[in-house]
């Protein structure tokens, strides 16, 4: 009997308290993922100096994270089908903190790129696995709680970046990231033990055949999964673009003080977190299609203001409005793809979304060379509008 069938039959005995404990355990993993990733990001400048890498060499090395993640995501969907999303989440929860300790041990751009492949593989794997588990929990609870998990990721990221900034001057990258390893393994030991004890909820009936085995997807379902993956891509494009170019736009084009310019992404990230914390309530009251359409429209208006505003403070308001608009689009897109196609749907949507985050920064750079940076940043508004349009056309 396939392992998935055993998990499914046992899952039918899950009780409401079990589902609450499962929600808590998954929330911890989402927060841990954001915390560790942000901890690595804030130490990139120090590791660049340690390896002696040029800007171009560092850029190539950083592609290792993206390459490792994209390669692993599709494979992780298959592993979740074979072994279940809970064990795969825990396994990646062990690999992620172990791999984050590797970059400060390198002394060349090549070595850094190779270890970042491992880190990217763990990062991509845990994102697919825990989102797959979250999709099944959403179906079992019959509540749109997916934004809450992504809010935990955002909060973890803000905490990881804040802590990293505070200790960057007193701790070397080696000690800092090794500390993240120890903390991550301890958290995984506690939350992972709870996760492994809890049975996965039964997948929705339309995702299984009469024997409980995964149903072969028809062409229409595959196309819809790709559609929601494209919505995720449009969202992640904006997040990646603002992370890499927002501060430069404020400082270079609006003559903002470096400290104020650095607050640009913080405004965006904080607004996105607030939006996700309120996402469940908004989804229950409005539904998914209004959230996709209103969110994309709001983000488009906010980014037009952020890119073209004549003053710093108007631009900061635009960044915050953009964060509010984009906040719940990615979680909804991933949840819909997973509801239709299980872990493979989550893997497809996540891969396209991560591809958007990878595509955003270099695309903005090329467009800035061809036109200007403010004009280039309006592409975020265009794609947000595209996400709203796709959400409207896919409403049925």
């Amino acid at each position: 009997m396939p392992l998935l069938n055993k998990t499914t039959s046992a899952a039918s005995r899950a009780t409401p308290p079990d589902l609450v404990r499962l929600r808590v355990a998954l929330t911890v993993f989402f927060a841990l993922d954001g915390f560790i990733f942000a901890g690595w990001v804030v130490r990139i400048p120090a590791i660049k100096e340690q390896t002696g890498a040029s800007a171009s060499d560092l850029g190539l090395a950083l592609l290792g994270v993206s390459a490792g993640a994209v390669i692993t995501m599709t494979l992780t969907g298959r592993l979740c089908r074979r072994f279940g999303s809970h064990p795969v989440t825990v396994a990646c929860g062990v690999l992620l903190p172990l791999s984050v300790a590797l970059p400060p041990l390198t002394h060349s751009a090549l070595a850094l790129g190779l270890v970042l492949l491992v880190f990217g593989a763990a990062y991509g794997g845990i994102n697919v696995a825990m989102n797959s588990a979250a999709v099944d929990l959403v179906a079992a609870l019959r509540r749109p709680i997916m934004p809450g998990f992504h809010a935990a990721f955002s909060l973890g990221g803000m905490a990881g970046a804040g802590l990293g900034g505070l200790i960057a001057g007193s701790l070397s990258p080696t000690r800092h990231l090794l500390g993240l390893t120890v903390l991550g393994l301890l958290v995984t030991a506690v939350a992972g033990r709870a996760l492994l004890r809890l049975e996965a909820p039964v997948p929705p009936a339309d995702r299984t055949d009469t024997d409980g085995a995964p149903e072969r997807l028809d062409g229409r379902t595959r196309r819809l999964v790709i559609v929601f993956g494209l919505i995720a891509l449009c969202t992640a494009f904006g997040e990646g673009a603002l992370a890499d170019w927002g501060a430069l736009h404020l400082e270079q084009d609006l003559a903002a003080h470096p400290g104020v310019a650095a607050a640009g992404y913080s405004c965006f990230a904080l607004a996105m977190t607030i939006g996700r914390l309120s996402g469940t309530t908004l989804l229950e009251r409005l539904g998914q299609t209004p959230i996709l359409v209103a969110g994309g429209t709001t983000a488009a208006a906010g980014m037009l203001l952020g890119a073209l505003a004549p003053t710093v403070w108007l631009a900061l308001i635009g960044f915050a409005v953009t964060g509010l608009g984009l906040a719940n689009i990615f979680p909804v897109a991933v949840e819909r793809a997973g509801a239709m196609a299980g872990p493979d749907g989550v893997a497809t949507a996540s891969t396209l979304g991560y591809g958007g985050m990878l595509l955003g920064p270099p695309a903005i750079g090329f467009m800035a060379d061809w036109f200007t940076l403010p004009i280039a940043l309006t592409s975020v508004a265009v794609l947000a509008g595209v996400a709203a349009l796709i959400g409207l056309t896919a409403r049925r």
Side-chain angles (χ1 to χ4, degrees):
M1 180 182 293
L3 181 61
L4 181 62
N5 295 351
K6 295 180 182 178
T7 302
T8 301
S9 61
S12 62
R13 298 191 295 271
T15 63
D18 287 338
L19 297 181
V20 173
R21 286 191 285 269
L22 177 55
R23 182 177 181 179
V24 172
L26 287 175
T27 299
V28 170
F29 273 106
F30 272 87
L32 178 66
D33 184 33
F35 184 81
I36 289 180
F37 188 79
W40 142 249
V41 167
V42 299
R43 300 318 298 253
I44 289 177
I47 292 175
K48 175 183 182 296
E49 183 178 352
Q50 175 182 302
T51 58
S54 64
S56 58
D57 288 341
L58 178 65
L60 290 174
L62 292 176
L63 284 177
V65 179
S66 303
V70 170
I71 291 170
T72 307
M73 282 177 169
T74 301
L75 175 63
T76 305
R78 297 174 184 173
L79 291 175
C80 289
R81 283 202 178 277
R82 176 68 181 86
F83 299 105
S85 57
H86 292 186
V88 177
T89 297
V90 175
C92 293
V94 172
L95 182 58
L96 183 67
L98 287 175
S99 61
V100 80
L102 298 177
L105 304 180
T106 61
H107 297 282
S108 69
L110 176 60
L112 178 61
L114 292 175
V115 301
L116 288 180
L117 280 171
V118 179
F119 179 66
Y123 179 71
I126 196 171
N127 273 277
V128 170
M130 65 187 182
N131 272 290
S132 297
V135 165
D136 287 339
L137 181 58
V138 168
L141 291 174
R142 299 184 181 277
R143 289 193 66 208
I145 61 171
M146 183 66 86
F149 293 123
H150 289 260
F153 174 85
S154 298
L155 287 171
M158 293 173 67
L163 178 63
L166 287 175
I167 66 177
S170 56
L171 280 183
S172 67
T174 302
R175 291 184 177 182
H176 175 198
L177 298 184
L178 183 60
L180 293 186
T181 297
V182 174
L183 179 61
L185 291 176
L186 289 174
V187 172
T188 298
V190 176
R193 185 179 180 184
L195 192 61
L196 291 175
R197 285 182 172 181
L198 296 169
E199 300 289 354
V202 179
D206 60 354
R207 271 171 41 195
T208 59
D209 60 24
T210 55
D211 296 325
E215 185 182 64
R216 187 177 297 276
L217 302 179
D218 57 31
R220 178 176 177 275
T221 302
R222 290 193 185 94
R223 289 192 294 271
L224 282 172
V225 168
I226 293 175
V227 164
F228 283 104
L230 291 174
I231 293 175
L233 183 153
C234 293
T235 304
F237 180 97
E239 190 170 354
L242 279 172
D244 284 23
W245 292 99
L248 182 62
H249 165 58
L250 294 175
E251 188 171 348
Q252 171 185 290
D253 300 313
L254 298 177
H257 184 276
V260 175
Y265 183 72
S266 298
C267 290
F268 170 80
L270 179 61
M272 177 172 279
T273 302
I274 293 172
R276 286 175 170 175
L277 287 171
S278 60
T280 296
T281 300
L282 291 174
L283 285 167
E284 287 178 331
R285 293 183 178 181
L286 303 177
Q288 293 178 337
T289 297
I291 289 297
L292 291 176
V293 175
T297 304
T298 299
M303 197 61 237
L304 286 176
L305 177 62
L308 304 178
T311 66
V312 173
W313 301 111
L314 280 177
L316 290 175
I317 292 172
F319 284 5
V321 172
T322 303
L324 285 173
L326 295 182
N328 294 307
I329 299 179
F330 189 94
V332 168
V334 171
E335 192 276 327
R336 291 307 307 146
M340 289 187 291
D344 290 339
V346 174
T348 299
S350 298
T351 301
L352 286 170
Y354 200 87
M357 188 173 290
L358 172 65
L359 174 66
I364 294 294
F366 284 123
M367 287 186 283
D369 284 339
W370 296 334
F371 307 105
T372 63
L373 181 53
I375 296 299
L377 286 172
T378 61
S379 63
V380 175
V382 172
L383 287 183
V386 170
L389 182 61
I390 295 175
L392 182 63
T393 57
R395 63 189 180 280
R396 297 184 184 277

